Amino acid sequence: VRFKGPAAQKVFVVAHAEEPNPENKDSWAGREVLRSIFALTNQNTAPPVTTDTESIWQFVRLDDKTVKARLRIASYLNAQTDTLYFDAKNRAVSFADYDLFMKRV
């Protein structure tokens, strides 16, 4: 991604997985781990900002036209930029939870 001005961002998929539910064919869960790097592209010597996030999804089909989903975004500290990284012991330091309802129109 290029921004107007001297900045750029790159996003990498670090890992992904799914967890199908064999007991309920109308349910699916999956996750994706992303690393984002935001850096200045001019002569500034500031180090890039690196963030690690995990998106955890769960989808449940309620009927032929409705799907309910839950999204949890977990944020992690990064060893390159966060002095408390080792104190966090590779655990998420913040969560954001969202409930979504999708209806076919």
Side-chain angles (χ1 to χ4, degrees), residues 54-67:
E54 180 178 19
S55 298
I56 305 157
W57 295 91
Q58 180 185 28
F59 294 90
V60 177
R61 182 178 14 214
L62 301 178
D63 56 45
D64 287 341
K65 293 187 175 186
T66 310
V67 173

Side-chain angles (χ1 to χ4, degrees), residues 39-76:
L40 295 174
T41 57
N42 59 10
Q43 302 300 319
N44 192 314
T45 59
V49 174
T50 303
T51 61
D52 295 320
T53 57
E54 180 178 19
S55 298
I56 305 157
W57 295 91
Q58 180 185 28
F59 294 90
V60 177
R61 182 178 14 214
L62 301 178
D63 56 45
D64 287 341
K65 293 187 175 186
T66 310
V67 173
K68 178 177 130 179
R70 182 172 180 113
L71 167 62
R72 170 169 274 190
I73 300 174
S75 298
Y76 297 86

Side-chain angles (χ1 to χ4, degrees), residues 20-37:
N21 184 348
E23 296 175 7
N24 183 354
K25 300 289 186 207
D26 290 330
S27 176
W28 180 87
R31 68 184 189 90
E32 182 175 71
V33 179
L34 301 174
R35 172 165 284 176
S36 299
I37 301 172

